[in-house]
Amino acid sequence: PAGSIGRKLLLTVRDVMRTGSDLSRVSIHSTLHAAVLELMRTGSGCVVVTEGVFLKGVFTDGDLRRYVANSSTFDLHGPIENYSTKTPLYVQDESMKLVDAERLFHSGPKSATCLPVVRTRVEGMEVLGMLVLADTRRALA
């Protein structure tokens, strides 16, 4: 139980997810520039876009690279909601075993590097934290 196999079986999303100042987050009313600065601050590879505490989207460093490479019309001072993914993959159970959550990174049409951890409420999906693939792999190594 105290070894690496036991640790892998006991770790949950809650044990590894980023919260507080480690959570990369911007308001839906922020600019693309603010999101890029937040990406650089945390180095997590993605930013959760919220309205209050509720999930409105995700913006990744991959999204930024694609906009820079493919669009002559992207505006650093434009609203982040124009550039973020509105329906990202997410983890809905912070008590989920980390080994099970790791599979979610590869469950969508394209692989994700981070997953918002949310709690469903009547008003929307409340952001509790963010699970980063690199942190997950490090914890399970």
Coordinates of all heavy atoms in Angstrom, one line a residue, residues 68-120:
V68 N -2.3 31.9 -34.5 CA -1.1 32.7 -35.0 C -0.7 32.1 -36.4 O -0.5 32.9 -37.3 CB 0.1 32.6 -34.0 CG1 1.3 33.1 -34.7 CG2 -0.2 33.4 -32.8
A69 N -0.7 30.8 -36.5 CA -0.3 30.2 -37.8 C -1.3 30.3 -38.9 O -1.0 30.5 -40.1 CB 0.0 28.7 -37.6
N70 N -2.6 30.3 -38.6 CA -3.7 30.2 -39.6 C -4.5 31.4 -39.8 O -5.3 31.4 -40.7 CB -4.6 29.0 -39.3 CG -3.8 27.7 -39.3 OD1 -2.9 27.5 -40.0 ND2 -4.2 26.8 -38.3
S71 N -4.4 32.4 -39.0 CA -5.3 33.5 -39.1 C -4.6 34.8 -39.2 O -3.8 35.2 -38.4 CB -6.3 33.6 -37.8 OG -7.1 34.7 -37.9
S72 N -5.0 35.6 -40.2 CA -4.4 36.9 -40.3 C -5.3 38.0 -39.6 O -4.9 39.1 -39.5 CB -4.3 37.3 -41.8 OG -5.6 37.3 -42.4
T73 N -6.3 37.5 -39.0 CA -7.3 38.5 -38.4 C -7.4 38.3 -36.9 O -8.4 38.9 -36.3 CB -8.7 38.3 -39.0 OG1 -9.1 37.0 -38.8 CG2 -8.6 38.7 -40.5
F74 N -6.6 37.6 -36.2 CA -6.8 37.4 -34.7 C -6.3 38.7 -34.1 O -5.3 39.4 -34.5 CB -6.1 36.2 -34.2 CG -4.7 36.3 -33.8 CD1 -4.3 36.5 -32.5 CD2 -3.7 36.1 -34.7 CE1 -3.0 36.6 -32.1 CE2 -2.4 36.1 -34.4 CZ -2.0 36.4 -33.1
D75 N -7.0 39.1 -33.0 CA -6.7 40.4 -32.3 C -6.4 40.1 -30.9 O -7.2 39.6 -30.1 CB -8.0 41.2 -32.4 CG -7.9 42.6 -31.7 OD1 -6.8 43.0 -31.3 OD2 -8.9 43.2 -31.5
L76 N -5.2 40.5 -30.4 CA -4.8 40.3 -29.0 C -5.6 41.0 -28.1 O -5.7 40.6 -26.9 CB -3.3 40.7 -28.8 CG -2.2 39.7 -29.2 CD1 -0.9 40.3 -29.0 CD2 -2.4 38.4 -28.3
H77 N -6.3 42.0 -28.5 CA -7.2 42.8 -27.6 C -8.6 42.4 -27.8 O -9.5 43.1 -27.2 CB -6.9 44.3 -27.8 CG -5.5 44.7 -27.6 ND1 -5.0 44.7 -26.3 CD2 -4.5 45.0 -28.4 CE1 -3.7 45.0 -26.4 NE2 -3.4 45.2 -27.6
G78 N -8.9 41.4 -28.6 CA -10.3 40.9 -28.7 C -10.7 40.1 -27.5 O -9.8 39.6 -26.8
P79 N -12.0 39.9 -27.4 CA -12.5 39.1 -26.2 C -12.1 37.6 -26.3 O -12.2 37.0 -27.4 CB -14.0 39.3 -26.3 CG -14.3 39.7 -27.7 CD -13.0 40.4 -28.2
I80 N -11.6 37.1 -25.2 CA -11.2 35.7 -25.1 C -12.3 34.7 -25.5 O -12.1 33.6 -26.1 CB -10.6 35.3 -23.8 CG1 -10.0 33.9 -23.8 CG2 -11.7 35.3 -22.7 CD1 -8.8 33.7 -24.8
E81 N -13.6 35.1 -25.3 CA -14.7 34.2 -25.6 C -14.7 33.9 -27.1 O -15.3 32.9 -27.5 CB -16.0 34.7 -25.1 CG -16.5 36.0 -25.8 CD -17.9 36.4 -25.2 OE1 -18.8 35.5 -25.1 OE2 -18.1 37.6 -25.0
N82 N -14.2 34.8 -27.9 CA -14.1 34.6 -29.4 C -13.1 33.5 -29.8 O -13.1 33.0 -30.9 CB -13.8 35.8 -30.1 CG -14.9 36.9 -30.0 OD1 -16.0 36.6 -29.6 ND2 -14.6 38.1 -30.4
Y83 N -12.2 33.2 -28.9 CA -11.1 32.3 -29.2 C -11.1 31.0 -28.4 O -10.3 30.1 -28.7 CB -9.7 33.0 -28.9 CG -9.6 34.2 -29.8 CD1 -9.9 35.5 -29.3 CD2 -9.2 34.1 -31.1 CE1 -9.8 36.6 -30.1 CE2 -9.1 35.3 -31.9 CZ -9.4 36.5 -31.4 OH -9.2 37.6 -32.2
S84 N -11.9 30.9 -27.3 CA -11.9 29.7 -26.5 C -12.8 28.6 -27.0 O -13.7 28.9 -27.7 CB -12.3 30.1 -25.0 OG -13.6 30.6 -25.0
T85 N -12.5 27.4 -26.5 CA -13.3 26.2 -26.8 C -14.5 26.3 -25.9 O -14.3 26.2 -24.6 CB -12.5 24.9 -26.7 OG1 -11.4 25.0 -27.6 CG2 -13.4 23.7 -27.0
K86 N -15.7 26.3 -26.4 CA -16.9 26.5 -25.5 C -17.4 25.2 -24.8 O -18.0 25.3 -23.8 CB -18.1 27.1 -26.3 CG -17.7 28.3 -27.2 CD -17.8 29.6 -26.4 CE -17.6 30.8 -27.2 NZ -16.3 31.1 -27.8
T87 N -17.0 24.1 -25.4 CA -17.5 22.8 -24.9 C -16.3 21.9 -24.7 O -16.1 20.9 -25.4 CB -18.5 22.1 -25.8 OG1 -17.9 22.0 -27.1 CG2 -19.8 22.9 -25.9
P88 N -15.4 22.2 -23.7 CA -14.2 21.4 -23.5 C -14.5 20.1 -22.8 O -15.6 19.9 -22.1 CB -13.4 22.3 -22.6 CG -14.4 23.0 -21.8 CD -15.5 23.3 -22.8
L89 N -13.6 19.1 -22.9 CA -13.7 17.9 -22.0 C -13.5 18.4 -20.6 O -12.8 19.4 -20.3 CB -12.6 17.0 -22.4 CG -12.6 16.3 -23.7 CD1 -11.3 15.5 -24.0 CD2 -13.8 15.4 -23.8
Y90 N -14.1 17.7 -19.6 CA -13.9 18.1 -18.2 C -14.1 16.9 -17.3 O -14.5 15.8 -17.8 CB -14.9 19.2 -17.8 CG -16.3 18.8 -18.1 CD1 -17.1 18.1 -17.1 CD2 -17.0 19.2 -19.2 CE1 -18.4 17.8 -17.3 CE2 -18.3 18.8 -19.5 CZ -19.0 18.2 -18.5 OH -20.3 17.8 -18.8
V91 N -13.6 17.0 -16.1 CA -13.8 16.0 -15.1 C -14.9 16.5 -14.1 O -14.8 17.6 -13.6 CB -12.5 15.8 -14.2 CG1 -12.7 14.8 -13.1 CG2 -11.3 15.4 -15.2
Q92 N -15.9 15.6 -13.9 CA -17.0 16.0 -13.1 C -17.0 15.4 -11.7 O -17.8 15.7 -10.9 CB -18.3 15.6 -13.8 CG -19.5 16.3 -13.3 CD -20.7 16.1 -14.2 OE1 -20.6 15.8 -15.4 NE2 -21.9 16.4 -13.7
D93 N -16.0 14.6 -11.4 CA -15.9 14.0 -10.1 C -14.5 14.1 -9.5 O -13.6 13.4 -9.9 CB -16.3 12.5 -10.2 CG -16.3 11.8 -8.9 OD1 -16.1 12.4 -7.8 OD2 -16.5 10.6 -8.9
E94 N -14.3 15.1 -8.6 CA -13.0 15.3 -8.0 C -12.5 14.1 -7.1 O -11.3 14.0 -6.8 CB -12.9 16.6 -7.2 CG -13.8 16.6 -6.0 CD -13.7 18.0 -5.2 OE1 -12.6 18.5 -5.1 OE2 -14.8 18.4 -4.8
S95 N -13.4 13.2 -6.8 CA -13.0 12.0 -6.0 C -12.7 10.8 -6.9 O -12.3 9.8 -6.5 CB -14.1 11.6 -5.0 OG -15.3 11.3 -5.7
M96 N -12.7 11.1 -8.3 CA -12.4 10.0 -9.2 C -10.9 9.6 -9.1 O -10.1 10.4 -8.8 CB -12.6 10.5 -10.7 CG -12.2 9.6 -11.8 SD -12.3 10.4 -13.4 CE -14.0 10.2 -13.7
K97 N -10.7 8.3 -9.2 CA -9.3 7.8 -9.1 C -8.5 8.5 -10.3 O -9.0 8.6 -11.4 CB -9.2 6.3 -9.2 CG -9.9 5.6 -8.1 CD -9.2 5.9 -6.8 CE -9.9 5.2 -5.6 NZ -9.5 5.7 -4.4
L98 N -7.3 8.9 -10.0 CA -6.4 9.5 -11.0 C -6.1 8.6 -12.2 O -6.1 9.1 -13.3 CB -5.1 10.0 -10.3 CG -4.3 11.0 -11.1 CD1 -5.1 12.3 -11.4 CD2 -3.0 11.3 -10.3
V99 N -6.0 7.3 -12.0 CA -5.7 6.4 -13.1 C -6.9 6.4 -14.0 O -6.7 6.3 -15.3 CB -5.4 5.0 -12.6 CG1 -4.0 5.0 -11.9 CG2 -6.4 4.4 -11.8
D100 N -8.1 6.6 -13.5 CA -9.3 6.6 -14.4 C -9.4 8.0 -15.1 O -9.8 8.0 -16.3 CB -10.6 6.4 -13.6 CG -10.6 5.0 -13.0 OD1 -10.0 4.0 -13.6 OD2 -11.2 4.8 -11.9
A101 N -9.1 9.0 -14.4 CA -9.1 10.4 -15.0 C -8.1 10.5 -16.1 O -8.4 11.2 -17.1 CB -8.9 11.4 -13.9
E102 N -7.0 9.8 -16.0 CA -6.0 9.9 -17.1 C -6.5 9.5 -18.4 O -6.2 10.1 -19.5 CB -4.7 9.1 -16.7 CG -3.6 9.3 -17.8 CD -2.4 8.4 -17.5 OE1 -2.6 7.4 -16.9 OE2 -1.4 8.8 -18.0
R103 N -7.4 8.6 -18.4 CA -8.0 8.1 -19.7 C -8.9 9.2 -20.4 O -9.0 9.2 -21.6 CB -8.9 6.9 -19.5 CG -8.1 5.7 -19.0 CD -9.0 4.5 -18.9 NE -8.3 3.4 -18.2 CZ -8.5 3.0 -16.9 NH1 -9.6 3.5 -16.3 NH2 -7.8 2.1 -16.4
L104 N -9.4 10.1 -19.6 CA -10.3 11.2 -20.1 C -9.5 12.1 -21.0 O -10.0 12.8 -21.9 CB -10.9 12.0 -19.0 CG -11.9 11.2 -18.1 CD1 -12.4 12.1 -17.0 CD2 -13.1 10.8 -19.0
F105 N -8.2 12.3 -20.8 CA -7.4 13.2 -21.6 C -7.4 12.7 -23.1 O -7.2 13.5 -24.0 CB -5.9 13.2 -21.1 CG -5.7 14.0 -19.9 CD1 -5.5 13.3 -18.6 CD2 -5.7 15.4 -19.9 CE1 -5.3 14.1 -17.5 CE2 -5.5 16.1 -18.7 CZ -5.3 15.4 -17.5
H106 N -7.6 11.5 -23.3 CA -7.6 10.9 -24.7 C -9.0 10.5 -25.2 O -9.1 9.8 -26.2 CB -6.6 9.7 -24.7 CG -5.3 10.0 -24.1 ND1 -4.4 10.9 -24.6 CD2 -4.8 9.6 -22.9 CE1 -3.4 11.0 -23.9 NE2 -3.6 10.2 -22.8
S107 N -10.0 10.9 -24.5 CA -11.4 10.4 -24.8 C -12.1 11.3 -25.9 O -13.1 10.8 -26.4 CB -12.2 10.3 -23.5 OG -12.5 11.6 -23.0
G108 N -11.6 12.4 -26.2 CA -12.3 13.3 -27.1 C -11.8 13.1 -28.5 O -11.0 12.2 -28.8
P109 N -12.3 13.9 -29.4 CA -11.8 13.8 -30.8 C -10.3 14.1 -31.0 O -9.7 13.7 -31.9 CB -12.7 14.8 -31.6 CG -13.3 15.7 -30.5 CD -13.3 14.9 -29.2
K110 N -9.8 14.9 -30.1 CA -8.3 15.2 -30.0 C -7.9 15.2 -28.6 O -8.7 15.5 -27.7 CB -8.0 16.5 -30.7 CG -8.7 17.7 -30.2 CD -8.3 18.9 -31.1 CE -9.0 20.1 -30.5 NZ -8.7 21.3 -31.3
S111 N -6.7 14.8 -28.4 CA -6.1 14.7 -27.0 C -6.1 16.1 -26.3 O -5.9 17.1 -27.0 CB -4.7 14.1 -27.0 OG -4.8 12.8 -27.4
A112 N -6.3 16.1 -25.0 CA -6.3 17.3 -24.2 C -5.1 17.3 -23.3 O -4.6 16.2 -23.0 CB -7.6 17.4 -23.4
T113 N -4.6 18.4 -23.0 CA -3.5 18.5 -22.0 C -3.9 19.0 -20.7 O -3.2 18.9 -19.7 CB -2.4 19.5 -22.6 OG1 -3.0 20.8 -22.8 CG2 -1.8 19.0 -23.8
C114 N -5.2 19.5 -20.6 CA -5.7 19.8 -19.3 C -7.2 19.7 -19.3 O -7.8 19.8 -20.4 CB -5.3 21.3 -18.9 SG -5.9 22.5 -20.0
L115 N -7.8 19.4 -18.1 CA -9.2 19.2 -18.0 C -9.7 20.0 -16.8 O -9.2 19.8 -15.7 CB -9.5 17.7 -17.7 CG -9.1 16.7 -18.8 CD1 -9.2 15.3 -18.3 CD2 -9.9 16.9 -20.1
P116 N -10.7 20.9 -17.0 CA -11.3 21.6 -15.9 C -12.0 20.5 -15.0 O -12.5 19.5 -15.5 CB -12.3 22.5 -16.5 CG -12.0 22.6 -17.9 CD -11.3 21.3 -18.3
V117 N -11.9 20.7 -13.7 CA -12.6 19.9 -12.7 C -13.8 20.7 -12.3 O -13.6 21.8 -11.8 CB -11.7 19.5 -11.5 CG1 -12.5 18.6 -10.6 CG2 -10.4 18.8 -12.0
V118 N -15.0 20.1 -12.5 CA -16.2 20.9 -12.2 C -17.2 20.2 -11.3 O -17.1 19.0 -11.2 CB -16.9 21.3 -13.6 CG1 -16.0 22.1 -14.4 CG2 -17.4 20.1 -14.3
R119 N -18.1 21.0 -10.8 CA -19.3 20.4 -10.0 C -20.5 21.0 -10.7 O -20.6 22.2 -10.9 CB -19.2 20.9 -8.6 CG -20.4 20.5 -7.8 CD -20.5 21.0 -6.4 NE -19.2 20.8 -5.7 CZ -18.6 21.7 -4.9 NH1 -19.1 22.9 -4.8 NH2 -17.4 21.5 -4.4
T120 N -21.4 20.2 -11.1 CA -22.6 20.6 -11.8 C -23.6 21.2 -10.7 O -23.9 20.6 -9.7 CB -23.3 19.5 -12.5 OG1 -22.4 18.9 -13.5 CG2 -24.5 19.9 -13.3

